[in-house]
Amino acid sequence: GIQVEQSPPDLILQEGANSTLRCNFSDSVNNLQWFHQNPWGQLINLFYIPSGTKQNGRLSATTVATERYSLLYISSSQTTDSGVYFCAVRNTDKLIFGTGTRLQVFP
Amino acid sequence: DTGVSQDPRHKITKRGQNVTFRCDPISEHNRLYWYRQTLGQGPEFLTYFQNEAQLEKSRLLSDRFSAERPKGSFSTLEIQRTEQGDSAMYLCASSSTGTSGGYNEQFFGPGTRLTVL
């Protein structure tokens, strides 16, 4: 089956710093989603991005499907950005998740 | 539209007991998914429905697990004879059918955290 790898596994930042999270996948996919899981376990949709680039405020994402990777950019990080970031790819009807990047932002 | 809801949010049970979880999807969504997430891992697919039809089940879904979506609206996930290894967060998601029968973005509920003692 498709393998999804995320890097780095852990990231510690000071408030105001920028960061880039990476998601590699092993096969062609129908689409890709990025999520933020908050400390209570809720998965919050960030981007639905099978290809191209999207921006939403301080966050942006780029997926290069032909090279099988996606990047999530966080600029001017805030403490509320802390949590785990997952990418998930869709192959047929289900999402396959990576193991996540745990982000901690300190004031 | 209040999003995907799940009930209960937390469940503590003793080994060997049966438990049932409920998921209410976003009202216009015809697809409903169940995932399981253990500590430190990403969610893993369990099963999904299109309307009332259960179209796929993961091998993770042992014979002790059963899911239903009787009227194509809410869904229930039952675990019989619970084991300590069933302790996890159970997540429900929903989506609508995309153009040409494709697959749209999935939206997740808050999850039910199960602890088996």
Side-chain angles (χ1 to χ4, degrees):
Chain A
I2 291 182
Q3 304 297 313
V4 182
E5 295 183 352
Q6 291 186 244
S7 61
D10 295 281
L11 191 55
I12 300 173
L13 299 175
Q14 192 160 23
E15 208 168 23
N18 302 329
S19 61
T20 301
L21 283 59
R22 187 176 180 103
C23 173
N24 292 332
F25 43 97
S26 61
D27 204 345
S28 60
V29 297
N30 300 115
N31 54 57
L32 185 147
Q33 292 185 238
W34 281 97
F35 296 91
H36 174 211
Q37 189 165 42
N38 66 21
W40 297 271
Q42 173 77 57
L43 282 167
I44 299 164
N45 290 42
L46 297 178
F47 294 101
Y48 172 71
I49 183 167
S51 63
T53 297
K54 291 186 178 180
Q55 180 153 9
N56 184 3
R58 296 181 296 104
L59 274 59
S60 63
T62 295
T63 297
V64 184
T66 53
E67 297 186 20
R68 300 178 185 168
Y69 74 89
S70 183
L71 302 174
L72 177 69
Y73 306 94
I74 305 174
S75 64
S76 304
S77 57
Q78 300 175 359
T79 56
T80 51
D81 294 333
S82 297
V84 183
Y85 289 79
F86 288 103
C87 73
V89 302
R90 173 168 257 154
N91 180 270
T92 64
D93 44 23
K94 55 186 174 285
L95 288 177
I96 300 169
F97 284 77
T99 51
T101 292
R102 181 174 299 276
L103 173 64
Q104 298 179 73
V105 181
F106 290 95
Chain B
D1 182 5
T2 57
V4 180
S5 62
Q6 292 187 244
D7 184 71
R9 296 291 304 278
H10 302 272
K11 179 71 176 179
I12 299 174
T13 191
K14 293 182 179 180
R15 190 175 51 189
Q17 298 295 304
N18 299 342
V19 295
T20 300
F21 310 141
R22 176 180 171 124
C23 171
D24 287 87
I26 294 171
S27 57
E28 64 268 27
H29 286 180
N30 61 340
R31 290 184 172 141
L32 187 149
Y33 305 79
W34 286 99
Y35 293 81
R36 181 172 69 185
Q37 185 178 22
T38 54
L39 202 61
Q41 301 297 314
E44 295 176 291
F45 170 79
L46 292 178
T47 188
Y48 99 98
F49 294 83
Q50 178 160 311
N51 301 314
E52 64 275 10
Q54 188 173 17
L55 296 187
E56 185 174 346
K57 294 194 291 186
S58 162
R59 65 181 186 278
L60 294 176
L61 213 65
S62 76
D63 291 345
R64 297 184 297 104
F65 288 70
S66 62
E68 294 182 342
R69 194 182 183 198
K71 297 182 179 179
S73 56
F74 72 91
S75 175
T76 58
L77 178 68
E78 181 183 16
I79 309 174
Q80 296 182 327
R81 304 181 303 281
T82 53
E83 302 173 356
Q84 288 185 325
D86 297 331
S87 295
M89 174 79 92
Y90 290 83
L91 294 162
C92 176
S94 71
S95 74
S96 58
T97 306
T99 55
S100 304
Y103 299 91
N104 279 344
E105 187 174 4
Q106 290 187 24
F107 294 88
F108 282 77
T112 295
R113 188 174 297 278
L114 174 65
T115 302
V116 182
L117 303 176

